Amino acid sequence: MAELEELLQVATDMLDRAYTPYSHFQVGAAAVGASGKVYGGCNIENAAYGATNCAERTAIFSGIAAGEKRFTALLVTGNTEGPIAPCGSCRQVISEFFDQDAVIYLTNQKGSLAETTVAGLLPGAFLELK
């Protein structure tokens, strides 16, 4: 439970760092590297919307830039009615860097929580080079 609380705090802190001048839809994420270090991420929009980066990928890419190659858990949060879930692109990136049984916490800022795994998010992932 301590891991969940820490991840939720990191992801919540990321909401204020989100750059969302177009959608005004802030998302925060926290990824746990194999080292145990937690990496926060927020969504970062761009006028060329395809250049936008989601919070989940920002957290994972930050970890990779710091030297991580694998991750063990991920939490995503936002100001939504129910638990927020990763988009398809994020699901594919998650599948690349997490084991299929890694825990994924889907939350919101109202206290909702759903727990799944990478395999639950993306069954039959496109590519698994592990």
Side-chain angles (χ1 to χ4, degrees), residues 103-118:
V103 65
I104 309 295
Y105 300 107
L106 310 175
T107 70
N108 68 6
Q109 291 295 291
K110 295 181 178 186
S112 296
L113 170 68
E115 187 176 321
T116 189
T117 63
V118 174

Side-chain angles (χ1 to χ4, degrees), residues 37-69:
K37 185 169 180 188
V38 176
Y39 300 90
C42 58
N43 54 327
I44 304 165
E45 295 179 349
N46 189 278
Y49 219 72
T52 293
N53 203 54
C54 297
E56 301 91 314
R57 286 181 280 148
T58 300
I60 294 165
F61 295 165
S62 293
I64 292 167
E68 300 282 356
K69 299 295 182 220

Side-chain angles (χ1 to χ4, degrees), residues 62-127:
S62 293
I64 292 167
E68 300 282 356
K69 299 295 182 220
R70 303 294 301 158
F71 296 84
T72 60
L74 177 75
L75 182 140
V76 185
T77 194
N79 291 303
T80 53
E81 287 301 313
I84 193 168
C87 72
S89 294
C90 286
R91 291 173 192 226
Q92 184 60 48
V93 169
I94 292 165
S95 180
E96 183 83 14
F97 295 103
F98 290 70
D99 290 338
Q100 292 297 296
D101 62 351
V103 65
I104 309 295
Y105 300 107
L106 310 175
T107 70
N108 68 6
Q109 291 295 291
K110 295 181 178 186
S112 296
L113 170 68
E115 187 176 321
T116 189
T117 63
V118 174
L121 280 179
L122 188 63
F126 178 69
L127 180 64

